[in-house]
Amino acid sequence: MAWEHVNPWRCWERTTLPAVVNGPEDLLVRVALSDPLRSVYQTEFRWPALARLGPNAFHGQYAQITLRFLDVRWSFEAAAVGERTYLRVRCLNPAAAEGMQIHLETMAQTAGARIVSREHEVLAQRARTWRITPLSPSTQRSGTTLLGPLARPFYALIEPVSEIGRLEERDVHPRSVAPADAPLANEEQEAAALFAQARDAELGRLRYVPDTLRWFYDAVPRGLGWNVIWTSDRREPVVVCSRDWCVHGNYGEWVLFNWDQFLLVPMAARFDPELAHVVAGPQLAVQTPAGLVPGIASALGISGDRGMPPDASLGLLKAYRLTDDRSFVERYYDRLCAYHHWWRRNRDGNGDGLLEWGSNPVPPPHPQWQAHTYWASRYETGMDNHPMWDGVRFNATTNTQEQTDVGLSALHALDALCLSYMAEVLGRSRDAAGYRAYSEKIGRLIHEHLWNDALGLWLSRDWDGTWNLRASPCCFYPLFLPTTPAACRRRAIDEHLRNPRRFGGRYVMPVTPRDDAAYPEQYYVRGRVWPGQTYLVHAALRECGEEVAAAELARGCIETFRQEWLEHGYLRENYNAETGRSDDTPESDLIYSYGMMMPQIAWNQLEDVRLDGTPVRGELAQLAGCLDEHGALRARIDPFSE
């Protein structure tokens, strides 16, 4: 993989944001801050310290993030130039940083490395020897830590050296340290010029984006970039739903959640196909011999009893359509076929051809996880406590719920349709015909058994024939399917999707309708806006040609995420459907995979591709009210414009 070449230092450390980790050699260089007057020493900065996301290039060319420490806002940057990595810390309100100190700490994350000092430098040695040198004259060394005043720009350089040479032999004369108000030295000025070039080059990768849209386009690559972490057990980077879940969570040092991972693949593919493979590859690498792609995969094990919504082939097919990179089909097609057939064998409990959620009798590897229970079957839905599954029975014999599920059945049919297109790419005509015929069959069964004509919507149904009148965005997934009758499509969209008393409104789209008894709870997957389901509904609208409804949904998504993105730089896991905020609950992670999907929906509205390869585009006028005509919104997400 290209990430292994030349320079191994990246901003992939899961425990703190202002750091660079050399994963292959288990070395870490991180920034800590102290305020001696208040006896505060902070060594880790995670999402709660975030003030603004900046870029974090997958190949290490440039990274920047703005953080808070007490009353101070400060910026951390890293830039790679060949084998060298430059670091810079800048305080954005220096007057508040008087007396505060920067501590650049060099650490070995496993045994076998040497961290030593020499004069004013620090050396880290494992497979290679790396020298960490301060470029700022106001910096001094204490042990293997470099210290400097926070009120002044701080520069350091990490570079390989051929040998260590002498160590603690002192200079003949004491090294004088410049005051905090000293002008930039020549080495600092040269480093500043390199940072300017690296920043300009990284921001320039999206120069094709209209200036009026950059304020939200940047959210997608930034969110993805800062959720890449290095995994010491796998010896590779992975993209996680949120890096904070990989520190003190219940999963070990990394965790993957099946269905949202696969929706990230086409996002990443737009600007870095290798990153897209880093999203998809680890998830499919833990596939079981039976074909299951587990809903949870982590350092502690996998949920071998269940999957999650089957959207893997959708994400990978879209990545191929966007890039014409056949590796997205060639590398994964057989695994995706095995996953598809796992659903056929394991989730049709009553044998009617449609599917139910479930959980197999496989012991969980973690004491908190469940398996082969009613709640385990709800966890497979990816919508844990949604009212659609309140009171549904779990059948321990069939390992499924006793409710035919409209969303799962529609995604299963969509999965077969995506596989048919992939088979065509590979020249497997028999496979293509078989999957297409199967998709059409399931589509007809959905219309025959799950369309409720009285209500004008597709609904789930108990095995005894009783309708489940609780609805969710999943009820619109049949819009993906070519077999869906146009009259049903229009009723579902007009009477439910665009209806402000149901799923319409300013902030979209709620996971339960606004007239549902559970909607006022606004608790987790009860009433709130969840971007993953909204993303799938928007994709379904584009697929069936409902452009007006798709544009309305895209505008609503921008309206929903814009407050917290502009104010705090957050891309939230979920949003309050009444206020568009998420500070009303602790169960909405600050920078989460789902949160990136909200700006991505608007991105897709302007330029996307259908499953059959047909380009679809929208006009800027469709996002009226969201355009940054005078650059004010762009300035709010750039810390250096302040």
Side-chain angles (χ1 to χ4, degrees):
M1 300 288 275
W3 60 263
E4 297 175 297
H5 298 164
V6 182
N7 190 328
W9 296 91
R10 299 284 192 280
C11 291
W12 291 346
E13 170 57 26
R14 62 190 171 85
T15 63
T16 188
L17 295 158
V20 287
V21 61
N22 178 338
E25 298 183 65
D26 296 313
L27 299 173
L28 173 67
V29 177
R30 72 181 185 184
V31 173
L33 297 180
S34 70
D35 184 344
L37 293 178
R38 287 186 264 190
S39 299
V40 176
Y41 190 103
Q42 185 169 340
T43 60
E44 295 181 355
F45 295 83
R46 296 198 285 275
W47 293 145
L50 178 68
R52 178 65 55 195
L53 280 181
N56 189 354
F58 178 67
H59 294 280
Q61 305 96 315
Y62 179 74
Q64 185 274 327
I65 196 163
T66 310
L67 300 162
R68 290 185 295 269
F69 173 68
L70 301 177
D71 302 326
V72 172
R73 295 175 75 250
W74 60 287
S75 165
F76 169 79
E77 292 172 276
V81 181
E83 291 188 299
R84 292 182 163 191
T85 297
Y86 291 84
L87 305 178
R88 174 165 63 176
V89 174
R90 285 191 282 178
C91 182
L92 302 182
N93 53 335
E98 184 176 356
M100 295 182 181
Q101 289 284 312
I102 299 165
H103 304 253
L104 190 67
E105 302 176 339
T106 301
M107 309 169 71
Q109 296 187 294
T110 58
R114 289 201 302 165
I115 310 296
V116 296
S117 59
R118 179 179 64 186
E119 314 301 357
H120 65 292
E121 303 170 337
V122 176
L123 297 137
Q125 185 180 45
R126 192 183 289 272
R128 305 172 71 183
T129 299
W130 299 90
R131 178 170 60 197
I132 300 90
T133 307
L135 303 181
S136 301
S138 57
T139 302
Q140 56 187 315
R141 179 181 60 77
S142 175
T144 57
T145 297
L146 304 178
L147 297 96
L150 180 57
R152 185 187 187 282
F154 173 95
Y155 291 84
L157 170 64
I158 304 173
E159 61 183 338
V161 293
S162 58
E163 59 183 38
I164 290 182
R166 73 181 193 274
L167 295 177
E168 279 294 353
E169 183 180 335
R170 302 291 185 182
D171 287 337
V172 174
H173 302 289
R175 181 172 181 264
S176 60
V177 178
D181 59 355
L184 291 184
N186 290 337
E187 284 185 300
E188 293 179 296
Q189 294 181 37
E190 292 171 1
L194 292 174
F195 273 108
Q197 294 170 11
R199 179 176 175 84
D200 186 63
E202 181 59 25
L203 296 179
R205 295 177 64 200
L206 289 177
R207 285 218 171 94
Y208 62 88
V209 177
D211 288 341
T212 55
L213 303 178
R214 282 296 298 272
W215 72 272
F216 72 77
Y217 264 59
D218 283 338
V220 179
R222 293 183 183 192
L224 277 170
W226 283 105
N227 271 325
V228 181
I229 65 169
W230 175 262
T231 58
S232 59
D233 60 338
R234 299 178 62 94
R235 312 304 299 170
E236 65 179 352
V238 300
V239 179
V240 294
C241 62
S242 171
R243 63 162 63 199
D244 275 14
W245 284 48
C246 305
V247 182
H248 301 304
N250 297 318
Y251 307 101
E253 69 174 56
W254 58 271
V255 61
L256 307 175
F257 293 115
N258 182 322
W259 76 291
D260 44 325
Q261 292 293 122
F262 290 114
L263 293 181
L264 298 180
V265 174
M267 301 186 198
R270 283 182 180 269
F271 53 90
D272 195 326
E274 186 178 355
L275 176 58
H277 285 296
V278 170
V279 177
Q283 188 71 70
L284 286 162
V286 296
Q287 186 172 28
T288 70
L292 169 67
V293 179
I296 302 173
S298 77
L300 301 183
I302 66 170
S303 58
D305 65 301
R306 62 184 182 268
M308 272 189 175
D311 59 4
S313 59
L314 170 66
L316 288 159
L317 176 62
K318 292 277 282 187
Y320 163 70
R321 295 299 193 198
L322 288 165
T323 62
D324 289 325
D325 185 340
R326 288 173 59 94
S327 66
F328 289 111
V329 177
E330 294 170 342
R331 191 176 299 182
Y332 306 113
Y333 173 76
D334 290 332
R335 288 184 175 273
L336 294 173
C337 290
Y339 187 36
H340 175 85
H341 288 277
W342 181 91
W343 287 97
R344 290 200 204 185
R345 294 192 307 271
N346 288 272
R347 294 296 182 259
D348 183 7
N350 63 352
D352 67 354
L354 299 173
L355 302 190
E356 301 84 30
W357 300 106
S359 172
N360 291 357
V362 178
H366 189 288
Q368 180 181 331
W369 302 359
Q370 296 193 39
H372 205 233
T373 67
Y374 163 66
W375 269 101
S377 73
R378 291 184 70 141
Y379 293 147
E380 186 173 66
T381 71
M383 300 171 66
D384 308 355
N385 66 327
H386 194 281
M388 280 182 70
W389 297 285
D390 289 358
V392 174
R393 297 179 301 278
F394 177 74
N395 189 313
T397 301
T398 63
N399 308 323
T400 66
Q401 297 177 357
E402 293 185 357
Q403 174 177 274
T404 300
D405 192 85
V406 59
L408 174 57
S409 297
L411 287 179
H412 184 57
L414 174 64
D415 188 47
L417 180 61
C418 292
L419 290 174
S420 73
Y421 286 122
M422 288 183 164
E424 289 175 355
V425 172
L426 298 175
R428 302 187 185 186
S429 56
R430 181 175 297 181
D431 281 8
Y435 282 122
R436 188 174 299 276
Y438 181 78
S439 177
E440 292 172 353
K441 172 188 171 183
I442 301 302
R444 288 191 295 269
L445 288 173
I446 291 171
H447 178 66
E448 180 181 347
H449 295 288
L450 302 182
W451 171 255
N452 185 310
D453 197 59
L455 193 60
L457 189 63
W458 297 276
L459 296 171
S460 296
R461 203 167 187 177
D462 193 283
W463 283 357
D464 66 10
T466 304
W467 290 102
N468 185 339
L469 300 181
R470 310 299 284 267
S472 78
C474 306
C475 297
F476 300 101
Y477 293 172
L479 296 173
F480 272 114
L481 307 177
T483 53
T484 299
C488 298
R489 184 176 74 225
R490 291 292 343 139
R491 287 193 64 191
I493 293 171
D494 293 340
E495 296 176 26
H496 298 275
L497 180 62
R498 301 175 69 188
N499 183 345
R501 295 186 300 275
R502 294 283 282 167
F503 291 96
R506 180 178 181 183
Y507 304 117
V508 292
M509 55 184 300
V511 286
T512 49
R514 299 181 194 276
D515 58 1
D516 189 289
Y519 175 80
E521 297 177 29
Q522 292 296 308
Y523 169 65
Y524 210 55
V525 199
R526 298 176 82 86
R528 299 178 74 81
V529 173
W530 279 76
Q533 292 85 348
T534 307
Y535 178 96
L536 286 170
V537 172
H538 182 265
L541 291 170
R542 301 306 296 276
E543 202 63 32
C544 68
E546 292 288 345
E547 293 298 321
V548 173
E552 289 179 357
L553 188 58
R555 285 197 302 273
C557 290
I558 298 176
E559 189 69 20
T560 302
F561 93 95
R562 71 181 290 163
Q563 297 178 70
E564 296 204 336
W565 172 244
L566 289 173
E567 291 175 12
H568 306 293
Y570 298 160
L571 296 167
R572 289 281 201 166
E573 182 179 3
N574 55 73
Y575 296 85
N576 186 302
E578 286 293 299
T579 66
R581 304 192 70 90
S582 287
D583 49 13
D584 60 327
T585 176
E587 296 191 73
S588 180
D589 194 86
L590 303 185
I591 307 293
Y592 202 87
S593 55
Y594 292 126
M596 297 169 233
M597 296 176 196
M598 299 300 268
Q600 182 66 31
I601 289 168
W603 187 334
N604 289 349
Q605 180 61 32
L606 294 176
E607 184 177 5
D608 201 3
V609 60
R610 294 195 179 112
L611 300 179
D612 65 0
T614 303
V616 282
R617 292 182 172 83
E619 301 296 329
L620 282 176
Q622 293 179 330
L623 301 182
C626 306
L627 304 180
D628 186 15
E629 299 291 355
H630 305 292
L633 299 182
R634 174 69 180 167
R636 290 182 67 179
I637 69 167
D638 185 354
F640 305 123
S641 67
E642 301 173 3

